[in-house]
Amino acid sequence: MTKVNLDKLQAKSNGNIESVLVANGLLNGSLVALGTPVAGERELMNAVAPAKDKELLLVAVPEVKADESLDQLDIFIQSGEAARAYHLTVGDKFQVERSMFTAAPVVGAVVTGNADYGYSVNVDSRTTFVVEALTKFDYDQRDMALLRVLTV
């Protein structure tokens, strides 16, 4: 399971958030592209796997414990559930757990989304990020990568 931290996103203050329907379970911090509108819904869009020619959105559901009796450290979005997906702007920064990467990230690497909703090295994509720092986050000090949006 993963953690994501929204360090500096313009979408948080400008209301540029999409509601997406997850067909396959996703981890917080996943990248998705927008598919077709969900039938019968006004604003809900289908989330699809990232593609190099599509804008990528960051999935970040608030980590709120629905049941305090459960030890829920991480949030997993179940199949068929709606989630928040943020439109990103050049210069936005966020941290995501390093387990979301196909290979260990290094500072300065340019990464993008992959077909598994995670991150991989690739500069031939519409939406790209640069790894600005390798960090630790939260009380459990999990390994994170600080990303800055290069292109959308």
Side-chain angles (χ1 to χ4, degrees):
M1 305 282 196
T2 62
K3 288 276 190 195
V4 63
N5 188 60
L6 308 179
D7 290 283
K8 184 193 103 175
L9 293 187
Q10 291 187 34
K12 290 191 334 187
S13 61
N14 294 337
N16 204 0
I17 301 171
E18 294 282 349
S19 293
V20 295
L21 184 65
V22 175
N24 301 315
L26 286 180
L27 297 168
N28 241 3
S30 296
L31 294 172
V32 299
L34 292 179
T36 59
V38 174
E41 295 288 337
R42 188 171 58 88
E43 294 182 0
L44 192 60
M45 301 290 289
N46 284 300
V48 297
K52 69 180 186 175
D53 61 337
K54 295 192 179 246
E55 174 192 9
L56 302 184
L57 286 75
L58 175 66
V59 174
V61 175
E63 298 191 5
V64 178
K65 293 181 181 181
D67 183 350
E68 291 294 329
S69 67
L70 299 175
D71 184 19
Q72 297 171 315
L73 183 59
D74 300 297
I75 301 297
F76 181 79
I77 302 120
Q78 299 293 332
S79 179
E81 286 186 9
R84 287 184 186 177
Y86 291 84
H87 285 279
L88 299 168
T89 304
V90 173
D92 283 353
K93 293 183 181 185
F94 62 94
Q95 294 178 73
V96 67
E97 194 168 339
R98 289 186 225 168
S99 64
M100 296 287 292
F101 289 79
T102 55
V106 295
V107 173
V110 176
V111 299
T112 191
N114 61 33
D116 295 326
Y117 303 93
Y119 300 79
S120 60
V121 174
N122 182 349
V123 293
D124 182 29
S125 186
R126 176 179 165 179
T127 305
T128 57
F129 314 93
V130 64
V131 178
E132 285 204 333
L134 301 178
T135 61
K136 299 276 188 183
F137 186 74
D138 217 0
Y139 71 90
D140 59 348
Q141 292 294 293
R142 59 181 72 199
D143 294 328
M144 306 280 279
L146 174 64
L147 303 179
R148 180 173 44 87
V149 179
L150 289 178
T151 61
V152 291

